[in-house]
Amino acid sequence: MSPEKYSIREQVAIMAGAKEVACVYGTAGHLILFSHDHVKITVLNRFSEGFAIQFWMNQARRVNSVWVDISMNFLPHTHFLSCYLLLPTVQWEEYLKSDGIKLPWDSSLNLKESVFEYIEEWTRLVALFAKKHPKFLETRYRSFTFSNFVEVFSKLIREPINSETKKSLENIFKKNK
């Protein structure tokens, strides 16, 4: 369910009838307040901070909660400004196994393409925000440089970065300055 596609009345009705909920950490999980007590919720983590609100909501409904880290974020981010790299992590695979689910590796998942899209989107968002708030980059991301991108990208891909990809990344940085 994508909450934004439903009226608040429909969202409440869906959660009131739910026996089990699975969601990426965010608004959909917060709707657990409208569920019955003892509902099972599986929360897929997209970042490593800010969980107190969801814990309180889970506690208020006495839900059976499971938290699974699917975050592969390697770029600096904040709660209000970011994009996320969500991939099948080891923790995700262990969670599926514990539920008796065997999910084959999706061969259509192109790790290089996913990482490149993540870098491109992150750069675009930060550049847009920085135009309105120039001090933001100076304080939050000042130590993160293009060479950090290249290093992290090549480590994730587990091979040296080729000149064509490096040039594409440089162009993204130049475009968004």
Side-chain angles (χ1 to χ4, degrees):
M1 163 179 107
S2 299
E4 68 279 2
K5 293 181 180 179
Y6 297 90
S7 70
I8 190 66
R9 181 174 294 213
E10 292 169 316
Q11 292 175 41
V12 170
I14 290 167
M15 292 307 283
K19 293 181 178 149
E20 188 170 335
V21 175
C23 60
V24 175
Y25 178 74
T27 304
H30 301 341
L31 292 170
I32 202 73
L33 285 174
F34 302 108
S35 71
H36 296 286
D37 285 352
H38 307 291
V39 165
K40 178 182 179 187
I41 182 171
T42 301
V43 181
L44 305 175
N45 296 345
R46 60 186 168 129
F47 53 83
S48 60
E49 56 199 38
F51 300 124
I53 293 168
Q54 189 66 49
F55 282 125
W56 295 331
M57 292 177 185
N58 291 355
Q59 192 174 29
R61 285 326 229 169
R62 295 186 289 262
V63 301
N64 172 15
S65 62
V66 176
W67 294 76
V68 182
D69 185 12
I70 60 167
S71 168
M72 296 291 274
N73 303 324
F74 58 85
L75 300 176
H77 62 277
T78 65
H79 183 71
F80 64 90
L81 172 69
S82 198
C83 60
Y84 305 97
L85 181 59
L86 308 178
L87 294 170
T89 62
V90 171
Q91 191 180 28
W92 168 251
E93 290 174 9
E94 288 173 6
Y95 168 74
L96 292 177
K97 284 180 193 171
S98 72
D99 265 9
I101 301 169
K102 182 167 180 166
L103 206 66
W105 176 255
D106 183 357
S107 59
S108 68
L109 177 67
N110 183 329
L111 183 59
K112 288 181 185 181
E113 188 177 302
S114 298
V115 170
F116 189 82
E117 286 176 22
Y118 168 67
I119 292 169
E120 187 172 36
E121 182 62 14
W122 183 91
T123 304
R124 188 186 66 72
L125 286 172
V126 170
L128 286 172
F129 191 79
K131 284 179 185 175
K132 292 181 182 176
H133 307 279
K135 293 277 184 200
F136 176 76
L137 282 181
E138 292 171 25
T139 57
R140 182 72 180 180
Y141 299 143
R142 71 173 162 246
S143 63
F144 206 82
T145 64
F146 176 72
S147 60
N148 293 122
F149 275 108
V150 172
E151 181 183 348
V152 170
F153 190 89
S154 60
K155 284 182 180 176
L156 271 172
I157 304 306
R158 295 190 178 127
E159 61 186 53
I161 195 165
N162 66 38
S163 59
E164 183 181 321
T165 303
K166 187 173 182 180
K167 188 75 170 160
S168 294
L169 290 171
E170 286 172 344
N171 287 336
I172 290 168
F173 270 87
K174 288 176 188 173
K175 258 195 283 186
N176 291 305
K177 280 193 175 184

